[in-house]
Amino acid sequence: MKKFIQVFYIALVLIFIYAPILTLVLYSFVDIPVVSISAALETGFSTNLYVQLFNDQALMKIVWDTLFLALIVAILATILGTLGAIGIFYSKGKLGKAVSAASRIPVINAEIVTAVALVLLFAFVFSESRSYFAMVIGHLVITTPFVVLSVMPKLKQMDANLYEAALDLGASPFKALVSVVLPEILSGILSGFMMSITLSLDDYIISAYTKPAGFDTISTYVYGAMAKSNANSSLPALRALSAIIFVVIILVVVAKNISTRKQEAK
Protein backbone atom coordinates (compact mmCIF):
# COMPACT_ATOMS: atom_id res chain seq x y z
CA MET A 1 0.00 0.00 0.00
CA LYS A 2 2.86 2.36 0.84
CA LYS A 3 4.54 1.65 -2.49
CA PHE A 4 1.24 2.23 -4.32
CA ILE A 5 0.84 5.63 -2.66
CA GLN A 6 4.40 6.59 -3.60
CA VAL A 7 3.88 5.59 -7.23
CA PHE A 8 0.51 7.36 -7.33
CA TYR A 9 2.03 10.55 -5.88
CA ILE A 10 4.90 10.53 -8.38
CA ALA A 11 2.43 9.93 -11.22
CA LEU A 12 0.34 12.92 -10.11
CA VAL A 13 3.42 15.16 -10.00
CA LEU A 14 4.52 14.05 -13.48
CA ILE A 15 1.01 14.56 -14.88
CA PHE A 16 0.84 18.03 -13.33
CA ILE A 17 4.20 18.95 -14.89
CA TYR A 18 3.85 17.41 -18.34
CA ALA A 19 0.10 17.52 -19.06
CA PRO A 20 0.20 21.12 -20.40
CA ILE A 21 3.19 20.31 -22.62
CA LEU A 22 1.60 17.11 -23.96
CA THR A 23 -1.59 19.07 -24.62
CA LEU A 24 0.45 21.59 -26.60
CA VAL A 25 2.04 18.80 -28.65
CA LEU A 26 -1.38 17.24 -29.29
CA TYR A 27 -2.91 20.52 -30.49
CA SER A 28 0.08 21.16 -32.76
CA PHE A 29 -1.64 18.62 -35.04
CA VAL A 30 -4.96 20.48 -34.99
CA ASP A 31 -5.32 23.48 -37.29
CA ILE A 32 -7.65 25.68 -35.26
CA PRO A 33 -7.00 29.26 -34.09
CA VAL A 34 -8.30 28.68 -30.55
CA VAL A 35 -7.76 25.54 -28.48
CA SER A 36 -11.08 23.73 -28.11
CA ILE A 37 -11.93 20.04 -27.67
CA SER A 38 -15.13 20.24 -29.74
CA ALA A 39 -13.39 22.14 -32.56
CA ALA A 40 -10.50 19.68 -32.50
CA LEU A 41 -12.87 16.73 -32.85
CA GLU A 42 -14.60 18.40 -35.79
CA THR A 43 -11.39 19.44 -37.55
CA GLY A 44 -9.35 16.29 -37.01
CA PHE A 45 -5.59 15.86 -36.96
CA SER A 46 -3.22 17.09 -39.64
CA THR A 47 0.27 18.51 -40.15
CA ASN A 48 -1.00 21.82 -41.51
CA LEU A 49 0.53 23.87 -38.68
CA TYR A 50 3.96 22.37 -39.37
CA VAL A 51 3.59 23.22 -43.06
CA GLN A 52 2.58 26.77 -42.14
CA LEU A 53 5.55 27.04 -39.80
CA PHE A 54 8.16 26.08 -42.40
CA ASN A 55 6.47 28.17 -45.10
CA ASP A 56 6.39 31.30 -42.94
CA GLN A 57 9.68 32.98 -43.92
CA ALA A 58 9.43 35.72 -41.30
CA LEU A 59 8.84 33.22 -38.50
CA MET A 60 11.64 30.93 -39.70
CA LYS A 61 14.03 33.89 -39.74
CA ILE A 62 13.18 34.55 -36.09
CA VAL A 63 13.81 30.88 -35.27
CA TRP A 64 17.24 30.86 -36.96
CA ASP A 65 18.19 34.20 -35.39
CA THR A 66 17.27 32.85 -31.95
CA LEU A 67 19.21 29.61 -32.48
CA PHE A 68 22.26 31.51 -33.71
CA LEU A 69 22.10 33.83 -30.70
CA ALA A 70 21.76 30.85 -28.34
CA LEU A 71 24.74 29.12 -29.97
CA ILE A 72 26.98 32.20 -29.67
CA VAL A 73 25.96 32.72 -26.05
CA ALA A 74 26.40 29.03 -25.19
CA ILE A 75 29.93 28.90 -26.67
CA LEU A 76 31.05 32.08 -24.89
CA ALA A 77 29.35 31.13 -21.62
CA THR A 78 30.91 27.66 -21.70
CA ILE A 79 34.40 29.08 -22.21
CA LEU A 80 34.02 31.77 -19.53
CA GLY A 81 32.20 29.49 -17.09
CA THR A 82 34.69 26.64 -17.44
CA LEU A 83 37.70 28.92 -16.97
CA GLY A 84 35.94 30.62 -14.08
CA ALA A 85 35.15 27.31 -12.38
CA ILE A 86 38.76 26.14 -12.76
CA GLY A 87 40.03 29.45 -11.40
CA ILE A 88 37.66 29.28 -8.42
CA PHE A 89 38.55 25.65 -7.72
CA TYR A 90 42.28 26.27 -7.65
CA SER A 91 42.05 29.61 -5.81
CA LYS A 92 43.07 29.43 -2.19
CA GLY A 93 41.71 31.22 0.85
CA LYS A 94 39.13 33.97 0.91
CA LEU A 95 39.58 34.99 -2.73
CA GLY A 96 38.15 31.75 -4.08
CA LYS A 97 35.22 31.86 -1.68
CA ALA A 98 34.46 35.48 -2.55
CA VAL A 99 34.52 34.84 -6.31
CA SER A 100 32.43 31.69 -5.87
CA ALA A 101 29.81 33.62 -3.90
CA ALA A 102 29.80 36.44 -6.48
CA SER A 103 29.27 33.96 -9.32
CA ARG A 104 26.03 32.78 -7.71
CA ILE A 105 24.45 36.25 -7.48
CA PRO A 106 22.96 36.22 -11.03
CA VAL A 107 21.44 32.80 -10.27
CA ILE A 108 19.49 33.94 -7.21
CA ASN A 109 18.95 37.53 -8.33
CA ALA A 110 15.61 38.48 -9.91
CA GLU A 111 16.01 38.60 -13.69
CA ILE A 112 14.12 41.88 -13.94
CA VAL A 113 16.72 43.47 -11.66
CA THR A 114 19.51 42.17 -13.90
CA ALA A 115 17.73 43.47 -17.01
CA VAL A 116 17.19 46.97 -15.61
CA ALA A 117 20.79 47.11 -14.34
CA LEU A 118 22.10 46.15 -17.80
CA VAL A 119 19.94 48.77 -19.48
CA LEU A 120 21.24 51.49 -17.16
CA LEU A 121 24.85 50.32 -17.60
CA PHE A 122 24.75 50.29 -21.41
CA ALA A 123 22.86 53.58 -21.54
CA PHE A 124 25.53 55.17 -19.34
CA VAL A 125 28.59 53.65 -21.07
CA PHE A 126 27.48 53.45 -24.71
CA SER A 127 24.51 55.86 -24.70
CA GLU A 128 22.51 53.00 -26.24
CA SER A 129 20.86 50.29 -24.17
CA ARG A 130 19.37 48.30 -27.05
CA SER A 131 21.79 46.48 -29.33
CA TYR A 132 22.78 42.97 -30.34
CA PHE A 133 25.95 43.31 -28.25
CA ALA A 134 23.93 44.31 -25.17
CA MET A 135 21.62 41.32 -25.67
CA VAL A 136 24.57 38.89 -25.92
CA ILE A 137 26.13 40.33 -22.76
CA GLY A 138 22.79 40.09 -20.99
CA HIS A 139 22.41 36.43 -21.91
CA LEU A 140 25.99 35.76 -20.82
CA VAL A 141 25.23 37.25 -17.41
CA ILE A 142 22.43 34.77 -16.76
CA THR A 143 24.01 31.69 -18.41
CA THR A 144 27.67 31.77 -17.33
CA PRO A 145 26.96 31.13 -13.61
CA PHE A 146 25.08 27.95 -14.54
CA VAL A 147 28.12 26.70 -16.43
CA VAL A 148 30.21 27.32 -13.31
CA LEU A 149 27.67 25.37 -11.23
CA SER A 150 27.78 22.49 -13.74
CA VAL A 151 31.58 22.28 -13.88
CA MET A 152 32.41 22.72 -10.19
CA PRO A 153 31.06 19.30 -9.04
CA LYS A 154 33.15 17.56 -11.71
CA LEU A 155 36.26 19.40 -10.53
CA LYS A 156 35.57 18.28 -6.96
CA GLN A 157 35.11 14.67 -8.11
CA MET A 158 38.36 14.72 -10.08
CA ASP A 159 41.49 13.18 -8.60
CA ALA A 160 43.65 16.23 -7.83
CA ASN A 161 46.81 14.11 -8.06
CA LEU A 162 46.34 13.68 -11.83
CA TYR A 163 47.15 17.32 -12.54
CA GLU A 164 50.17 17.26 -10.21
CA ALA A 165 51.37 14.03 -11.83
CA ALA A 166 51.17 15.60 -15.29
CA LEU A 167 53.32 18.53 -14.09
CA ASP A 168 55.84 16.13 -12.50
CA LEU A 169 56.09 14.25 -15.81
CA GLY A 170 57.12 17.43 -17.61
CA ALA A 171 53.86 18.82 -18.94
CA SER A 172 53.37 22.57 -18.92
CA PRO A 173 50.42 23.94 -16.89
CA PHE A 174 48.47 24.56 -20.12
CA LYS A 175 49.26 21.08 -21.46
CA ALA A 176 48.20 19.51 -18.17
CA LEU A 177 44.99 21.54 -18.22
CA VAL A 178 44.09 20.45 -21.76
CA SER A 179 45.22 16.82 -21.47
CA VAL A 180 44.18 16.01 -17.91
CA VAL A 181 41.70 18.45 -16.39
CA LEU A 182 39.40 19.15 -19.35
CA PRO A 183 38.76 15.46 -20.23
CA GLU A 184 37.90 14.79 -16.57
CA ILE A 185 35.29 17.56 -16.45
CA LEU A 186 33.99 17.19 -20.02
CA SER A 187 30.54 15.95 -18.96
CA GLY A 188 30.09 19.01 -16.74
CA ILE A 189 31.17 21.28 -19.59
CA LEU A 190 28.64 19.67 -21.95
CA SER A 191 25.89 20.00 -19.33
CA GLY A 192 26.72 23.69 -18.92
CA PHE A 193 26.71 24.16 -22.69
CA MET A 194 23.26 22.58 -23.08
CA MET A 195 21.91 24.53 -20.13
CA SER A 196 23.20 27.77 -21.66
CA ILE A 197 21.41 27.05 -24.94
CA THR A 198 18.18 26.26 -23.09
CA LEU A 199 18.36 29.39 -20.92
CA SER A 200 19.10 31.60 -23.92
CA LEU A 201 16.24 30.13 -25.95
CA ASP A 202 13.88 30.48 -23.00
CA ASP A 203 14.81 34.00 -21.93
CA TYR A 204 12.29 36.79 -22.40
CA ILE A 205 13.02 39.56 -19.89
CA ILE A 206 16.67 40.19 -20.82
CA SER A 207 15.85 39.96 -24.53
CA ALA A 208 12.87 42.31 -24.26
CA TYR A 209 14.94 44.97 -22.47
CA THR A 210 18.08 44.79 -24.62
CA LYS A 211 17.10 43.64 -28.13
CA PRO A 212 17.59 46.15 -30.97
CA ALA A 213 14.66 47.50 -32.95
CA GLY A 214 13.41 45.09 -35.59
CA PHE A 215 15.00 42.05 -33.95
CA ASP A 216 12.94 39.34 -32.26
CA THR A 217 13.69 36.12 -30.47
CA ILE A 218 11.18 33.29 -30.24
CA SER A 219 10.13 34.39 -26.75
CA THR A 220 9.60 38.06 -27.63
CA TYR A 221 7.79 37.11 -30.82
CA VAL A 222 5.48 34.72 -28.96
CA TYR A 223 4.66 37.42 -26.41
CA GLY A 224 3.96 39.93 -29.17
CA ALA A 225 1.83 37.41 -31.06
CA MET A 226 -0.21 36.65 -27.94
CA ALA A 227 -0.69 40.37 -27.28
CA LYS A 228 -2.19 40.90 -30.74
CA SER A 229 -3.50 37.41 -31.43
CA ASN A 230 -6.50 38.60 -33.40
CA ALA A 231 -4.27 40.12 -36.05
CA ASN A 232 -1.54 37.50 -36.12
CA SER A 233 -2.11 34.48 -38.36
CA SER A 234 1.18 32.85 -37.27
CA LEU A 235 -0.02 32.25 -33.73
CA PRO A 236 -1.35 28.67 -34.28
CA ALA A 237 1.94 27.73 -36.00
CA LEU A 238 3.74 28.58 -32.78
CA ARG A 239 2.22 25.44 -31.28
CA ALA A 240 4.10 23.41 -33.87
CA LEU A 241 7.30 25.33 -33.13
CA SER A 242 6.94 24.74 -29.39
CA ALA A 243 6.33 21.03 -29.96
CA ILE A 244 9.48 20.75 -32.10
CA ILE A 245 11.58 22.50 -29.43
CA PHE A 246 10.20 20.19 -26.73
CA VAL A 247 10.90 17.02 -28.76
CA VAL A 248 14.44 18.16 -29.64
CA ILE A 249 15.25 18.89 -25.99
CA ILE A 250 13.89 15.48 -24.92
CA LEU A 251 16.01 13.72 -27.56
CA VAL A 252 19.15 15.62 -26.53
CA VAL A 253 18.60 14.81 -22.85
CA VAL A 254 17.99 11.12 -23.59
CA ALA A 255 21.07 10.94 -25.82
CA LYS A 256 23.22 12.62 -23.17
CA ASN A 257 21.98 10.25 -20.45
CA ILE A 258 22.71 7.23 -22.63
CA SER A 259 26.20 8.56 -23.40
CA THR A 260 26.86 9.25 -19.70
CA ARG A 261 25.79 5.72 -18.70
CA LYS A 262 28.06 4.20 -21.35
CA GLN A 263 31.00 6.25 -20.06
CA GLU A 264 30.27 5.22 -16.48
CA ALA A 265 30.04 1.57 -17.55
CA LYS A 266 33.46 1.80 -19.19
Side-chain angles (χ1 to χ4, degrees), residues 152-163:
M152 282 298 292
K154 294 300 179 181
L155 286 168
K156 293 177 180 178
Q157 294 173 7
M158 181 184 66
D159 186 354
N161 295 324
L162 293 177
Y163 179 75

Side-chain angles (χ1 to χ4, degrees), residues 20 77 97 101 186 195 202:
K97 294 180 179 179
L186 183 60
M195 190 172 294
D202 180 63

Side-chain angles (χ1 to χ4, degrees), residues 1 13 79 91 100 124 188 218 258:
M1 188 64 185
V13 172
I79 295 173
S91 295
S100 178
F124 177 75
I218 294 174
I258 293 175

